[in-house]
Amino acid sequence: MKRVLVCILNHKKTKKLNILKNINYNKKDNFLIILDKIDLKLDKKKIKNVKIIRGNKKINPVPFYRNLAIKYAKDKYEILLFLDSDIIPSKNIIQKHYDAHIKYKKVPLIGGSVTPSFQIKYKNVWQFLDGVLSWFTSIEPAKDKFIPKPYHLPTCNLSIKNTYLKKYKIFFDENLKTGEDVDLCNKFRSLQMKLILIKNADVTHIDRNSFIDFIKHQLNWGKHHYHLRYKKLFLRNNNFLIIPFFLFLYPVFIIILNLIMTYLTLVPWIKKNFLYVLCFLPVFIVYFVKSLSTLFEFYKDLKNLFFFKL
């Protein structure tokens, strides 16, 4: 069995796959590159051990392609490491993940930190907010640490022991457009397993820097909150709870819920630098907009809920 399969999901906006040039890898490590609706030429003389899969999935492509990687890695690799094409990895990231899995034998999910691109080069407020709202769960730790609920490990820098995927038949939820990493973490936690964020395995993420891209992503997250956080996890797909909760309770407590989410988002940043407290109002406003998207997704789903109930 080989050591590590590095699965790189190539995003549409990534024209050149520079990620491979920055990584040191072992001869026993392989790369699986998944191209979504794009073409990409690679110099295989310089980069060996590469397998390319081309896809054209229109609905919820991200979890679908991540599942392709799980199926491809079956019985072949010890570790499956997920990276995305819109990140810049640290050079020894593969070895760091592999060593961590040797060290923490009973931990299935291991993540590395994610540095938002505004910390490297600030461009505008949308890039800043995208970084603050996206990577508060994965700030570089002083030492390896367990990740408690409700935080998670993002799939742009995440490795999984293949034995656990095989034993418990765990896959990404292909009904989710975004938030598939949160759902995956919840599945392992439901089996009483822990998640670890390790130090010195960092990636820098190239964040969204236009208002349209930023708000589109946040609205999608709002929709994801309805399906994953409330409908699936909190209300357990019980229509007798979902309908009254969103019709009567959610609109009443929407401010309180957004205050809680803003607090949970900013606390990790404030621990690093107290000045992040100044982000409270804009982050709260974004969460309020996301919560409206969550509510609209419920109304969109209301007809299905009633038909299912009947």
Side-chain angles (χ1 to χ4, degrees), residues 8 32 53 90 128 147 152 173 195 237 281 283-284 308 310:
I8 301 171
L32 176 66
I53 295 179
S90 52
F128 175 78
I147 299 297
H152 70 283
D173 188 342
L195 324 175
N237 288 308
L281 183 58
V283 169
F284 175 80
F308 184 78
L310 294 172

Side-chain angles (χ1 to χ4, degrees), residues 250-260 284 288 291:
Y250 188 77
V252 173
F253 291 104
I254 197 168
I255 298 295
I256 296 173
L257 291 170
N258 288 321
L259 285 172
I260 293 171
F284 175 80
F288 184 77
S291 66

Side-chain angles (χ1 to χ4, degrees), residues 180-290:
E180 79 287 346
D181 43 10
V182 178
D183 182 64
L184 185 77
C185 291
N186 289 338
K187 286 176 179 176
F188 279 103
R189 281 186 171 131
S190 69
L191 297 168
Q192 306 304 311
M193 296 180 186
K194 295 182 178 181
L195 324 175
I196 285 185
L197 179 68
I198 60 173
K199 64 177 183 177
N200 299 329
D202 183 65
V203 303
T204 298
H205 190 274
I206 310 303
D207 296 313
R208 300 162 189 83
N209 56 32
S210 74
F211 172 75
I212 296 298
D213 289 343
F214 169 75
I215 201 66
K216 200 180 288 185
H217 179 67
Q218 297 303 320
L219 291 176
N220 282 334
W221 262 95
K223 295 176 183 178
H224 139 74
H225 281 176
Y226 168 70
H227 291 285
L228 182 57
R229 176 177 294 156
Y230 294 108
K231 186 177 177 182
K232 187 174 182 180
L233 187 63
F234 178 56
L235 300 172
R236 306 291 181 185
N237 288 308
N238 186 327
N239 292 3
F240 293 101
L241 293 176
I242 294 171
I243 294 173
F245 175 81
F246 275 98
L247 284 178
F248 305 111
L249 293 178
Y250 188 77
V252 173
F253 291 104
I254 197 168
I255 298 295
I256 296 173
L257 291 170
N258 288 321
L259 285 172
I260 293 171
M261 288 305 304
T262 302
Y263 170 81
L264 291 172
T265 299
L266 289 180
V267 163
W269 292 110
I270 292 171
K271 286 181 179 179
K272 290 288 184 181
N273 189 330
F274 186 74
L275 289 177
Y276 279 102
V277 74
L278 300 174
C279 301
F280 185 88
L281 183 58
V283 169
F284 175 80
I285 291 171
V286 174
Y287 270 116
F288 184 77
V289 171
K290 287 166 73 171

